[in-house]
């Protein structure tokens, strides 16, 4: 009789601009083993894929063996789950369109699912985090870039090309600040990390008010939030302005989507009440009246790195099985 091997594990991979993290994850979402390496050390994509495959094989061989792995899920910036490609990622070392899912599948011999970091975060929150049990919700990742993803009736809305939820590109100010994408007035130009720093610089120029921010060596969303914690009025105003714009953008988003909750992830969400309170106030002021008071704004409780690896593992379970060695 032919022996049936039950594949009870997957590999979750999170490719971020700085680091690539990969983990063996079981069916219950336990991370059994994990390792990482610097993404930017591998400027050639072929060499990156080869290195990643070799490292994954080493990790799985030391933790239950290759035969126990069903498939691989990968999170990467600017990745499309429809095309399986990373397409023109602004901050990764590889330019153009990279067919990563196929490249990794050929190298490692297992099915590979690929999606962008915002979608993967949402999968992680739905499977193991704040969105567990929710059918209609929006995840917004607040960092250098602003990404989002929404689930409708329990299903992730991916869009025609796989780019649904590009919330950072929503226009919130006609003829406003110039954005990295070339447009003017994008949400990201105000609420992304660089945008928050720019607001702080503008405020310090506009007013003579003393501020702890003036003594900082490096302005960043984190150091500005630390000034807020010390009661610094100008720093609090930075987040008040940021929250006003974020709340306005989210009110438009929610009025279209009608979610139960909006869940914040990413580094800037750690500013906590300094950002969330003014965001909620502006959200309530701008959202469709029948939704007022009905949409929860939540900061994710999952650790960012863990969520992305777990989200990638959730994606891995959803791709059809494939093996080069059957
Ligand atoms: Zn833009």
């Amino acid at each position: 009789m032919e022996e049936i091997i039950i594949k009870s594990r997957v590999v979750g991979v999170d490719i971020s601009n700085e680091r690539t993290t990969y983990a063996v994850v079981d069916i219950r979402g336990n991370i059994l083993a994990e390792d990482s390496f610097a993404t930017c050390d591998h400027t050639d994509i072929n060499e990156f894929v080869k290195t990643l495959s070799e490292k994954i094989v080493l990790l799985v061989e030391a933790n239950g063996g290759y035969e126990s792995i069903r498939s691989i899920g990968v999170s990467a910036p600017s990745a499309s789950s429809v095309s399986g490609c990373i397409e023109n990622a602004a901050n990764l070392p590889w330019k153009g369109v990279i067919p990563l899912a196929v490249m990794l599948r050929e190298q490692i011999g297992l099915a590979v699912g690929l999606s962008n970091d915002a979608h993967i975060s949402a999968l992680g929150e739905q499977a193991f985090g704040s969105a567990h049990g929710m059918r209609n919700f929006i995840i917004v990742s607040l960092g250098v870039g602003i990404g989002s993803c929404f689930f409708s009736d329990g299903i992730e809305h991916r869009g025609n090309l796989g780019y649904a939820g590009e919330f950072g590109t929503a226009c919130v100010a006609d003829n406003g600040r110039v954005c990295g994408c070339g447009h003017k007035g994008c949400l990201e130009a105000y609420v992304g990390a660089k945008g928050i720093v720019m607001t702080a610089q503008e405020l310090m120029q506009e007013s003579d008010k003393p501020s702890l921010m003036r003594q900082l060596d490096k302005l960043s969303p984190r150091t500005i939030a630390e000034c807020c914690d010390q009661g610094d009025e100008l720093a609090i105003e930075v987040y008040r302005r940021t929250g006003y714009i974020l709340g306005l953008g989210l009110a438009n988003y929610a009025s279209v989507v009608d979610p139960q909750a909006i869940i914040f992830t990413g580094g800037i969400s750690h500013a906590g009440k300094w950002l969330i309170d003014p965001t909620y106030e502006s959200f309530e002021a701008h959202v469709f009246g029948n939704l007022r008071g009905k949409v929860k704004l939540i900061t994710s409780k999952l650790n960012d790195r863990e969520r992305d690896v777990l989200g990638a593992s959730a994606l891995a379970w959803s791709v059809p099985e494939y093996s080069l060695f059957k």
Side-chain angles (χ1 to χ4, degrees):
M1 205 173 81
E2 199 185 338
E3 193 190 354
I4 297 169
I5 299 163
I6 298 184
K7 296 178 183 284
S8 59
R9 295 168 176 187
V10 293
V11 172
V13 181
D14 174 41
I15 302 173
S16 70
N17 300 324
E18 296 81 32
R19 289 201 83 71
T20 295
T21 307
Y22 52 103
V24 178
V25 184
D26 74 9
I27 201 158
R28 291 171 179 266
N30 297 306
I31 296 174
L32 304 174
E34 183 190 298
D35 210 341
S36 71
F37 61 93
T39 308
C40 46
D41 287 352
H42 304 273
T43 49
D44 178 82
I45 185 63
N46 294 301
E47 197 257 324
F48 172 82
V49 172
K50 191 162 172 284
T51 303
L52 176 61
S53 307
E54 286 168 1
K55 287 182 181 286
I56 289 173
V57 169
L58 281 176
L59 191 73
V60 302
E61 283 302 338
N63 293 278
Y66 185 87
E67 291 75 23
S68 69
I69 303 297
R70 181 192 177 276
S71 44
I72 298 173
V74 183
S75 164
S78 301
S80 164
S81 56
V82 175
S83 70
C85 297
I86 298 175
E87 303 185 5
N88 309 307
N91 302 310
L92 285 175
W94 324 299
K95 300 304 162 206
V97 177
I98 313 286
L100 187 80
V102 169
M103 290 174 81
L104 189 58
R105 189 185 76 172
E106 305 280 274
Q107 189 72 235
I108 209 161
L110 290 169
V112 175
L114 172 71
S115 196
N116 70 57
D117 35 7
H119 289 191
I120 293 287
S121 288
L123 288 174
E125 289 293 339
Q126 191 201 33
F128 309 108
S130 307
H132 197 74
M134 287 189 192
R135 296 184 59 76
N136 294 285
F137 62 93
I138 299 172
I139 302 276
V140 177
S141 56
L142 302 168
V144 173
I146 307 295
S148 92
C149 176
F150 67 97
F151 274 61
S152 176
D153 283 334
I155 294 166
E156 173 194 9
H157 182 91
R158 301 197 301 183
N160 180 43
L161 299 174
Y163 287 115
E166 275 292 342
F167 181 46
T169 68
C171 183
V172 289
D174 189 28
N175 223 7
R177 269 186 200 167
V178 175
C179 174
C181 77
H183 291 178
K184 283 183 179 174
C186 292
L187 180 91
E188 193 165 297
Y190 297 90
V191 180
K194 281 184 196 159
I196 293 175
V197 169
M198 189 179 281
T199 302
Q201 286 161 341
E202 281 176 7
L203 269 165
M204 284 190 281
Q205 274 165 17
E206 275 172 30
S207 110
D208 298 330
K209 240 185 200 176
S211 168
L212 295 167
M213 292 193 297
R214 297 184 197 278
Q215 279 103 59
L216 288 176
D217 292 331
K218 191 176 179 289
L219 274 175
S220 72
R222 189 174 57 83
T223 56
I224 298 167
E226 284 165 2
C227 294
C228 294
D229 292 335
Q230 312 265 326
D232 189 275
E233 279 178 35
L234 220 53
I236 291 169
E237 179 62 14
V238 172
Y239 274 106
R240 202 197 57 75
R241 288 193 186 183
T242 306
Y244 179 84
I245 292 171
L246 178 58
L248 185 148
L250 288 173
N252 287 331
Y253 200 161
S255 296
V256 173
V257 169
D258 180 11
Q260 270 173 281
I262 298 171
I263 298 156
F264 298 112
T265 68
I268 293 171
S269 69
H270 301 150
K273 67 173 179 181
W274 304 115
L275 177 65
I276 305 305
D277 290 354
T279 300
Y280 190 67
E281 197 178 312
S282 170
F283 177 82
E284 288 289 284
H286 294 103
V287 77
F288 169 51
N290 287 350
L291 299 185
R292 201 168 294 138
K294 307 260 169 61
V295 183
K296 290 190 204 108
L297 267 55
I298 303 170
T299 305
S300 168
K301 303 288 181 296
L302 286 179
N303 161 300
D304 289 329
R305 183 195 50 75
E306 210 172 83
R307 171 184 43 249
D308 293 343
V309 167
L310 290 176
S313 79
L315 177 70
W317 288 109
S318 75
V319 295
E321 249 184 276
Y322 163 91
S323 176
L324 266 184
F325 307 104
K326 259 179 192 162

